């Protein structure tokens, strides 16, 4: 492939690529995102390769590993184009049948199709599946169409045309104006208006400026940036180059956490390819713009996702934040103007340039425009990535797209915004999702984690989890965060262990106040949100732990116990053998009894007890009945049989 | 490890002061830990004070200043895995191997680590063993998984 020297070269290449695609070729797309790979997608791809060769179909059928379409719950996901037939949970053994029936005989393999809940009808295409039907997939929609390791797939779909447009039809100020007008706000958490950030950098005088992609997606339960960077790295890169042009930067960085090896691999490859096509490096598309982009792998520190900390990490130092008397878009990396945006923010830029700010702003609420990707996880039927218009209600996301709560359980709360966010109760399910709306409710948008919790989730335990997480991840530079979180964690540990004191809630609130007002960076100032929001909406659970020494959801180990119902135990020996600490006494004809002193509450007995017996129960520690005396523990099997 | 090989890795990143973290990551991957001699060499070659090399090496989770086991077991404790019962898996591993998070057995067979989200939340609870991700792990299945990976 020769270098693209002007926008006409790019357009010509796109037309060639499209012509090749239009020739009615069948394309088998297999999701090769991390989730599907863990479920065996690589083997499925290999099976397709082999089967197509065996049947001499390689000339007319393409197959490729693509980015994540979001429906991780039913992976590995296979979509066959142009018919858009969507097969779910595909195993290598299913591949010969798919090739024979669908490709050769034009029939559906019905057992691999999605079945609609309710009447059980099949949904052969993506758009027939409710999970997809209620989404607005501006960013994720292309993932399944693109071989994430091949720049030509992206170009064929119109990739880099926004860059050409920005470079040759717009002045840098016009690009910034367009981004400002679109109302795009940062997708990384804080929601700062992207255009304003760019404008600050563009106006700051400096010998050198930088653009940076923040792909240090540290929020537990969030993986949309991973999916974008793995699945469609060129969209992020194109946004970054447009940003560099707008602010006058000549060097770019992509900071990716090392826990995402595939994302690192794909973005490194994308940069190489873009460079060889003349879309990066010197004189991009013949416009005179120069930009070099480097990948910097994070080394495992949550706080490094904070903008100033991330920049110090790129400088090769310990990733600790610094006070922001001067914002990093004015004085950032090596004290020079640096525009740092989240992966998803950058990926939105080509859309805004190509389709216009008005189009972008037509979707959303007053303060939040466009779409947002959430990772819908936890106790939810359709786990995965969902891209929805801003302003959609939580209820719609959880019930229409997510398919509700599994196992007939009751919804309890949804946690948004990661460790800086909060838990929202059922009464707020009709809240429209937007930056300002979520903040008002005591949570925040954050980067887009959305963790659904059911009645079996203990809200005190969830708050404790986040406080411990943050205490562990606090860099220790400022006292309120370092010491405040440590104290909060100690108090939480007391509460979940049944040693909570009356004054604990007040002390926690005092500490929360100090953290909020005196911490150096957002990790500390927002660290109390999980506690404050759970206290606001689930105060009764705190009181149950502290006053009654009871965990209503039966989660906190010290306050719960496992108990074998003597009336239901069949003395089958399964739990007795599986108990890792030998806490279960009994024999072949002797009903089993758990020694509460020895039991470590791992729950294995409950997991292994055959469903038809259902003898193992979980209950509050204070309610455990005493075990039957030894002479009443024998089971008379003969009598039972007659 | 021979000093030349360490130098090779350092040079791969242009020997720039700013490349410290990337150099250490590459060395960690190669050696599975960062012995004192290696830190000294890095400090010398990159002209970064040893104190700062150690500061970086102790700050980030990816680095280990003690030898790690041949099998790396990462239990995901991200929120999604947490609400689906991941803490119990940590307990199960402890019951089975006697090792808690951050520990390595004397035979250097396993190193157990907890991690904050591997981004496979749909499959939670997730355990990653030697780079392979296992989804929907239960305390019942886990010992077998450990044994099969531990068989050498």
């Amino acid at each position: 492939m020769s270098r693209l020297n002007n926008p006409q070269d790019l357009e010509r290449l796109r037309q060639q690529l499209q012509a090749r695609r239009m020739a009615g070729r069948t394309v088998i797309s297999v999701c090769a995102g991390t989730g599907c790979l863990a479920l065996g997608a690589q083997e499925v791809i290999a099976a397709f390769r082999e089967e197509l060769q065996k049947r001499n179909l390689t000339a007319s059928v393409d197959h490729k590993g693509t980015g994540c379409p979001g429906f991780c719950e039913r992976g590995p996901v296979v979509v066959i184009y142009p018919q858009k037939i969507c097969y779910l949970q595909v195993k290598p053994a299913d591949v010969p049948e798919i090739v024979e029936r669908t490709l050769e005989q034009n029939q559906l393999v019905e057992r691999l199709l999605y079945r609609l809940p309710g009447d059980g009808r099949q949904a052969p295409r993506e758009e027939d599946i409710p999970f997809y039907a209620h989404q607005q997939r501006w960013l994720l929609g292309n993932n399944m169409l693109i071989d994430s390791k091949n720049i030509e797939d992206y170009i064929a779909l119109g990739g880099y045309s926004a860059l050409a447009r920005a470079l040759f039809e717009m002045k840098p100020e016009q690009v910034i104006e367009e981004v400002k007008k679109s109302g795009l706000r940062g997708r990384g958490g804080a929601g700062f208006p992207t255009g304003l950030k760019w404008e600050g950098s563009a106006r700051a005088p400096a010998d050198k400026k930088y653009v940076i992609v923040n792909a240090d997606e540290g929020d537990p339960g969030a993986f949309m940036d991973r999916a974008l960077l793995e699945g469609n790295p060129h969209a992020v890169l194109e946004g970054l180059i447009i940003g560099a042009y707008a602010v006058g930067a000549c060097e770019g960085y992509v900071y990716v956490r090392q826990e995402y090896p595939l994302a690192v691999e794909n973005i490194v490859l994308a940069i190489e390819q873009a460079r060889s096509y003349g879309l990066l490096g010197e004189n991009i598309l013949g416009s005179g713009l120069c930009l070099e982009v480097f990948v910097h792998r994070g080394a495992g520190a949550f706080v490094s996702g904070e903008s100033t900390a991330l920049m110090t990490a790129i400088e090769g130092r310990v990733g600790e934040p610094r006070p922001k008397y001067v914002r990093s878009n004015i004085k950032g990396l090596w004290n020079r103007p640096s525009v740092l945006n989240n992966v998803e923010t950058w990926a939105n830029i080509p859309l805004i340039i190509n389709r216009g700010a008005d189009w972008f702003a037509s979707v959303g609420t007053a303060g939040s425009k466009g779409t947002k990707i959430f990772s819908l996880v936890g106790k939810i039927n359709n786990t995965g990535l969902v891209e929805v218009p801003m302003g959609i209600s939580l209820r719609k996301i959880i019930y229409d797209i997510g398919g509700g709560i599994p196992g007939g359980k009751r919804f309890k709360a949804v946690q948004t915004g990661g460790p800086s966010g909060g838990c929202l109760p059922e009464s707020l399910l009709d809240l429209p999702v937007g930056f300002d709306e979520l903040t008002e409710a005591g949570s925040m948008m954050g980067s887009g984690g959305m963790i659904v919790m059911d009645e079996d989730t203990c809200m005190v335990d969830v708050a404790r989890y986040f406080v411990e997480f943050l205490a562990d991840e606090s860099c220790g530079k400022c006292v309120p965060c370092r010491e405040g979180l440590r104290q909060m964690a100690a108090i939480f540990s007391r509460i979940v262990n049944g040693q909570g004191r009356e004054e604990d809630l007040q002390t926690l609130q005092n500490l929360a106040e100090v953290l909020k007002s005196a911490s150096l960076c957002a990790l500390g100032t927002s660290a109390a949100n999980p506690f404050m929001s759970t206290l606001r909406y689930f105060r009764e659970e705190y009181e149950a732990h502290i006053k009654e020494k009871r965990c209503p959801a039966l989660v906190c180990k010290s306050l719960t116990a496992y108990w074998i119902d003597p009336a239901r135990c069949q003395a089958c020996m399964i739990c007795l053998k599986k108990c890792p600490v030998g806490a279960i006494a009994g024999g072949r004809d002797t009903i089993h009894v758990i020694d509460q002193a020895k039991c470590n509450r791992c729950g294995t007995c409950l997991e292994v007890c055959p469903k038809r017996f259902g003898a193992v129960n979980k209950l509050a520690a204070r309610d455990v009945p005493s075990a039957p005396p030894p002479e009443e523990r024998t089971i008379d099997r003969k009598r039972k049989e007659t | 490890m021979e000093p030349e090989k360490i130098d090779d890795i350092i040079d791969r990143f242009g020997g720039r002061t700013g490349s410290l973290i990337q150099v250490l990551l590459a060395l960690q991957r190669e050696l599975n830990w960062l012995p004192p001699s290696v830190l000294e060499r890095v400090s010398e070659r990159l002209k970064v004070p040893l104190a700062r090399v150690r500061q970086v090496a102790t700050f980030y989770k990816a680095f280990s200043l003690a030898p790690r086991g041949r099998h790396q077991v990462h239990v995901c404790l991200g929120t999604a895995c947490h609400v689906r019962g991941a803490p119990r898996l940590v307990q199960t591993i402890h019951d089975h191997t006697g090792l808690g998070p951050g520990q390595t057995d004397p035979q250097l067979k396993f190193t157990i680590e907890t991690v904050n989200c591997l981004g496979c939340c749909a499959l939670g609870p997730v355990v990653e063993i030697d780079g392979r991700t296992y989804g929907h792990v239960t305390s019942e299945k886990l010992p077998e998984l450990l044994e099969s990976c531990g068989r050498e």
Side-chain angles (χ1 to χ4, degrees):
Chain A
M1 173 60 223
S2 61
R3 224 184 119 86
L4 305 169
N5 289 315
N6 49 54
Q8 292 75 29
D9 281 359
L10 175 70
E11 183 54 25
R12 213 170 297 127
L13 173 65
R14 191 178 65 81
Q15 282 173 5
Q16 282 169 13
L17 293 169
Q18 267 196 339
R20 222 185 295 159
R21 291 189 149 209
M22 296 299 268
R25 285 174 73 87
T26 303
V27 178
I28 303 169
S29 289
V30 183
C31 170
T34 301
C36 282
L37 285 179
L39 293 165
Q42 202 59 56
E43 290 75 17
V44 173
I45 296 174
F48 270 116
R49 188 182 310 123
E50 197 182 312
E51 197 60 28
L52 292 175
Q53 271 167 4
K54 211 159 83 188
R55 293 176 194 252
N56 279 326
L57 287 170
T58 43
S60 57
V61 180
D62 284 334
H63 71 287
K64 57 184 156 200
T66 68
C68 170
F71 206 9
C72 310
E73 181 72 31
R74 303 294 181 94
V77 179
V78 174
V79 181
I80 296 173
Y81 295 98
Q83 305 92 319
K84 296 191 194 166
I85 300 164
C86 181
Y87 289 133
L88 302 167
Q89 291 175 315
V90 178
K91 301 263 171 302
D94 301 323
V95 168
E97 192 181 345
I98 294 176
V99 173
E100 187 180 323
R101 303 255 321 260
T102 306
L103 298 188
E104 295 187 334
Q105 301 164 2
N106 218 358
Q107 289 171 353
L108 295 170
V109 181
E110 294 184 353
R111 65 189 168 83
L112 297 174
L113 296 174
Y114 181 81
R115 278 180 191 279
L116 295 167
D119 57 6
R121 271 182 308 126
Q122 284 138 352
R125 292 171 310 157
E126 272 194 349
E127 58 256 46
D128 303 327
I129 301 173
F131 175 77
Y132 292 117
H134 297 285
Q135 296 188 39
Q136 188 148 5
R137 310 203 307 147
W138 289 358
L139 299 173
L140 285 178
N142 280 345
N143 267 13
M144 209 62 188
L145 299 169
I146 292 176
D147 175 348
S148 33
K149 294 191 166 35
N150 186 351
I151 188 173
E152 293 196 341
D153 269 18
Y154 182 66
I155 292 176
L157 291 175
Y160 289 107
S161 60
L163 173 66
R165 184 167 186 182
L167 291 180
F168 293 95
E169 294 170 29
M170 298 168 91
K171 293 201 182 80
E173 308 84 73
Q174 287 174 305
V175 174
I176 294 178
E177 202 45 51
E178 200 68 15
V179 175
K180 267 170 77 177
K181 219 170 89 188
S182 74
L184 175 67
R185 291 171 68 174
R187 300 302 197 231
F192 192 81
T194 307
L196 279 184
K197 193 187 263 186
W198 289 20
E199 194 173 54
S201 263
R203 286 182 181 164
D207 58 331
K208 203 170 177 185
K209 296 176 187 177
Y210 303 100
V211 280
I212 307 168
V213 181
N214 186 349
D216 190 49
E217 189 174 45
D219 282 5
F223 59 106
M224 46 274 140
D225 293 348
R226 197 206 68 200
L228 276 178
L229 209 56
E230 276 179 11
N232 198 353
H234 287 286
V236 181
L237 216 45
E238 186 180 359
L240 186 73
I241 307 168
I242 295 171
Y245 170 68
V247 304
C250 59
E251 210 168 287
Y253 287 88
V254 183
Y255 188 96
V256 199
R257 63 197 288 246
Q258 53 115 24
E259 288 89 337
Y260 289 175
L262 186 61
V264 174
E265 187 185 319
N266 288 1
I267 187 70
V268 167
L269 191 67
I271 290 170
E272 271 170 31
Q273 289 180 347
R275 184 176 281 117
S276 71
Y277 278 72
L279 296 162
L280 264 185
E282 301 276 305
N283 198 13
I284 293 171
L285 278 180
S287 68
L289 176 73
C290 302
L291 179 71
E292 290 297 342
V293 176
F294 305 95
V295 173
H296 189 105
R297 291 185 312 136
F302 177 73
V303 70
S304 291
E306 198 274 342
S307 59
T308 58
L310 187 146
M311 291 179 197
T312 27
I314 292 180
E315 292 168 6
R317 293 183 285 134
V318 159
E320 286 176 353
R322 60 164 177 74
K324 291 186 201 166
Y325 306 121
V326 183
R327 286 193 173 274
S328 56
N329 63 336
I330 310 294
K331 261 186 162 184
L333 193 56
W334 288 295
N335 278 325
R336 296 190 177 104
S338 311
V339 167
L340 175 117
N341 283 129
N342 166 268
V343 171
E344 195 181 334
T345 316
W346 287 118
N348 269 303
I349 299 296
L351 288 176
I352 293 171
I353 297 302
N354 258 339
R355 309 185 65 170
D358 295 331
W359 168 82
F360 188 85
S362 67
V363 164
T365 64
S368 313
K369 303 295 186 191
T371 62
K372 175 78 193 86
I373 309 178
F374 289 98
S375 68
L376 188 61
V377 298
K379 305 286 186 67
I380 183 98
N381 274 316
N382 299 333
T383 319
L385 291 180
V386 303
E387 184 177 350
V388 289
M390 293 278 194
I392 192 175
S393 72
L394 285 167
R395 187 183 301 280
K396 214 159 174 188
I397 297 179
I398 294 167
Y399 287 94
D400 294 353
I401 299 174
I405 318 296
K409 298 276 182 182
R410 259 181 66 107
F411 170 88
K412 186 187 255 183
V414 56
Q415 205 277 345
T416 69
S420 312
C423 296
L424 303 173
E426 195 168 7
S427 59
L428 289 176
L429 274 181
D430 292 308
L431 189 77
V433 170
F435 288 101
D436 311 317
E437 292 83 352
L438 287 170
T439 306
E440 269 162 41
S443 182
M444 65 186 273
M445 178 77 88
S447 61
M450 193 172 271
I451 297 132
V452 180
M453 300 166 184
D454 67 3
E455 56 187 307
D456 290 343
T457 313
C458 168
M459 302 317 288
V460 179
D461 175 67
V462 167
R464 180 198 60 88
Y465 165 82
F466 283 117
V467 166
E468 273 183 11
F469 173 90
L470 290 167
D472 190 39
E473 293 290 352
S474 169
C475 74
K477 186 168 176 174
C478 74
V479 180
C481 177
R482 184 184 67 226
E483 297 304 326
L485 282 166
R486 196 183 293 178
Q487 287 312 318
M488 283 182 81
I491 295 172
F492 263 106
S493 151
R494 203 154 72 205
I495 295 175
V496 300
N497 280 313
Q499 265 125 47
R501 304 174 196 155
E502 290 280 333
E503 72 274 15
D504 278 350
L505 288 182
Q506 191 52 51
T507 318
L508 282 172
Q509 288 177 77
N510 295 347
L511 284 165
E513 202 47 53
V514 176
L515 268 168
K516 196 174 158 191
S517 49
S519 299
L520 181 60
C521 80
L523 187 149
T525 54
S526 62
N529 283 353
F531 162 67
M532 293 303 283
S533 65
T534 44
L535 184 69
R536 177 166 161 192
Y537 299 117
F538 301 95
R539 195 184 185 100
E540 68 285 356
E541 290 201 28
Y542 280 93
E543 286 173 352
H545 281 74
I546 295 172
K547 291 185 183 151
E548 301 163 36
K549 313 293 177 216
R550 188 172 59 83
C551 172
L554 300 176
V555 170
C556 297
K557 276 185 167 188
S558 303
L559 304 175
T560 48
Y562 291 87
W563 171 72
I564 301 173
D565 184 348
R568 308 199 66 153
C569 178
Q570 300 296 313
C572 70
M573 303 288 288
I574 296 179
C575 67
L576 193 149
K577 281 185 191 153
K578 289 272 181 184
C579 177
V581 290
I584 303 179
R588 201 156 284 287
D589 289 318
T590 314
I591 54 166
H592 308 340
V593 173
I594 299 175
D595 178 346
Q596 297 296 340
K598 261 195 195 169
C599 173
N600 68 0
R601 295 171 186 86
C602 70
T604 306
C605 50
L606 179 64
E607 238 165 57
V608 299
C609 181
K611 287 275 166 303
R612 59 184 193 281
F613 301 162
V616 181
N617 294 283
K618 204 171 172 186
L619 35 82
R622 42 188 260 176
D623 298 338
V624 177
S626 51
E631 62 275 14
E632 285 171 28
R633 294 187 190 177
T634 316
I635 293 187
D636 188 351
R637 288 190 196 275
K638 272 188 209 131
R639 201 191 59 210
K640 282 215 162 140
E641 274 158 23
T642 51
Chain B
M1 195 189 211
E2 311 87 65
E4 304 85 65
K5 237 177 133 187
I6 299 172
D7 289 355
D8 274 356
I9 292 176
I10 297 173
D11 293 341
R12 222 186 287 159
F13 296 89
R16 289 176 300 121
T17 308
S19 65
L20 175 62
I21 297 173
Q22 304 307 300
V23 166
L24 292 180
L25 275 172
L27 288 165
Q28 169 76 39
R29 205 168 26 195
E30 188 75 28
L31 303 169
N32 220 1
W33 71 297
L34 298 173
S37 61
V38 167
L39 294 183
E40 279 161 26
R41 187 72 193 156
V42 170
S43 149
E44 227 174 273
R45 288 293 314 275
L46 294 183
K47 301 190 177 56
V48 175
L50 184 58
R52 232 185 78 200
V53 176
R54 286 189 61 91
Q55 184 196 17
V56 166
T58 50
F59 182 81
Y60 291 101
K61 290 211 179 76
F63 305 124
S64 168
L65 297 184
R68 280 188 183 171
R70 293 183 295 283
H71 300 286
Q72 312 278 324
V73 181
H74 295 161
V75 185
C76 180
L77 284 186
T79 324
C81 289
H82 178 86
V83 299
R84 290 195 187 179
R88 278 181 37 209
L89 301 180
V90 178
Q91 173 86 53
T92 305
I93 291 177
H94 186 264
D95 292 339
H96 199 75
T97 61
L99 300 173
Q103 293 182 331
T104 303
D105 60 305
Q107 289 76 38
L108 297 186
K109 189 168 170 187
F110 289 116
T111 294
I112 314 296
E113 305 263 9
T114 57
V115 291
N116 295 323
C117 198
L118 294 165
C120 311
C121 311
L123 317 177
V126 170
V127 175
E128 188 189 76
I129 304 178
D130 297 334
R132 231 199 115 152
T133 315
Y134 298 88
H136 306 296
V137 179
T138 59
S139 336
E140 198 198 345
K141 277 195 283 186
L142 189 53
E144 200 184 318
L145 213 53
L146 287 174
E147 267 158 41
S148 69
C149 297
R151 244 171 256 141
E152 283 153 27

